[in-house]
Amino acid sequence: MKKLLRFLVPAFAGLVSLAVAQTPAPAPVPATPMMAPTTPVDASVGAPKVGNKRFFELHDSFLARGKAGPIGVLFLGDSITEGWGKAPHIWEHYFGKYQPANFGIGGDQTQHVIWRIENGELDGISPKVVVLMIGTNNSASHTGEQIADAVKKIIDLTRTKIPGVKVLLLAILPRDARRNTDGLITEAAIEDAGKRVAANDRANDLLAKLGDGVNVRFLNTNAIFLGRDGKIPWTIMPDQLHPTAAGYQLWAEAIEKPLAEMMK
């Protein structure tokens, strides 16, 4: 029996060694690729709203408006500028005599307006004044400095495209925390509004320095949208961002005189 064991043990050990040698090594685990850091959108580099059909439709309509007839004053901006269409009677009363055109697109940021200018919206037109207000939609992801730099580029592009044009540069309007679908103002909304307001306030401080009293005039109308408590009345801006017709009435009254002076 002892002789048999002396024979089996080495044989068994040899079989185990052979099995281990023939077991395939586990496949190497591929390294997890490093996620590339998200590059912030440059507020001063023209970019279209890719996939946004309405953006391109409005852009085409603005090109057609430029070819359709003279434009004496051009309003350029985002949804707040586009919103003059909610108060056509006010628009016509205050600006109709100037052969006005409204090139506002909801949701636009500075880079979108730059793209629009670079792609023909100011070609072949000769308004005396461009009324510009843009930047609040950048405030979630850009600093006040970045917004102001982009607005300066828009002004420079505008005056290059339309030699001799004057720019009435309006301060970015005030905004505040917005209600959610349940009518509540959440802590997240308050935090977001605080960040945006800080960026806009800083941008306005810098934009004020762009006014030269001749070719560019800066006009801060923000006080007219605030109540005695310093808050925006819900009747003026129900969503704390876009004016009602009553808000546009106040805005038109504030713009009327400086615009008339610049149109001479």
Side-chain angles (χ1 to χ4, degrees):
M1 185 66 178
K2 292 181 179 179
K3 291 182 179 180
L4 179 61
L5 286 175
R6 284 199 297 270
F7 170 77
L8 291 176
V9 169
F12 180 75
L15 290 173
V16 171
S17 299
L18 180 62
V20 171
Q22 291 179 345
T23 301
V29 177
T32 302
M34 296 292 290
M35 295 298 291
T38 302
T39 303
V41 173
D42 192 329
S44 294
V45 175
K49 293 179 189 169
V50 177
N52 187 316
K53 182 179 178 182
R54 186 172 184 273
F55 173 83
F56 292 101
E57 289 176 344
L58 286 173
H59 171 63
D60 288 341
S61 74
F62 299 157
L63 297 178
R65 173 64 183 90
K67 296 175 181 178
I71 298 174
V73 59
L74 173 65
F75 284 69
L76 184 61
D78 52 33
S79 59
I80 298 173
T81 295
E82 184 181 359
W84 283 106
K86 296 187 295 187
H89 57 296
I90 297 172
W91 173 266
E92 180 61 29
H93 177 77
Y94 286 91
F95 312 124
K97 58 189 172 185
Y98 299 131
Q99 297 176 304
N102 186 333
F103 286 8
I105 297 182
D108 263 19
Q109 299 184 29
T110 54
Q111 64 269 21
H112 305 132
V113 173
I114 291 170
W115 183 90
R116 293 200 275 131
I117 293 172
E118 292 174 338
N119 285 270
E121 288 191 10
L122 302 188
D123 293 355
I125 63 175
S126 54
K128 285 188 176 180
V129 178
V130 170
V131 181
L132 174 64
M133 208 255 322
I134 190 70
T136 197
N137 292 322
N138 290 83
S139 59
S141 54
H142 295 100
T143 66
E145 287 79 5
Q146 290 170 329
I147 295 171
D149 287 345
V151 173
K152 182 180 184 303
K153 181 172 181 177
I154 291 172
I155 293 172
D156 292 342
L157 284 171
T158 298
R159 302 201 72 249
T160 297
K161 290 277 189 179
I162 313 172
V165 73
K166 296 178 181 179
V167 177
L168 178 56
L169 175 60
L170 301 177
I172 301 170
L173 294 192
R175 63 184 298 159
D176 208 338
R178 306 169 75 176
R179 294 186 175 113
N180 63 16
T181 54
D182 296 322
L184 303 175
I185 300 175
T186 65
E187 289 296 328
I190 294 172
E191 181 179 354
D192 176 70
K195 175 184 177 181
R196 287 174 174 271
V197 169
N200 287 345
D201 286 349
R202 176 57 178 160
N204 283 336
D205 288 343
L206 297 170
L207 295 180
K209 300 176 182 179
L210 299 181
D212 60 15
V214 180
N215 298 309
V216 180
R217 180 169 180 174
F218 177 76
L219 178 64
N220 191 330
T221 62
N222 288 4
I224 67 173
F225 295 101
L226 304 177
R228 293 182 179 180
D229 59 356
K231 299 293 185 179
I232 303 171
W234 297 97
T235 54
I236 298 299
M237 291 182 183
D239 64 355
Q240 300 293 279
L241 178 62
H242 299 93
T244 58
Y248 281 103
Q249 175 68 40
L250 294 173
W251 208 19
E253 291 172 359
I255 293 172
E256 181 182 23
K257 183 177 179 180
L259 178 59
E261 293 171 352
M262 296 177 77
M263 289 295 295
K264 293 180 180 178

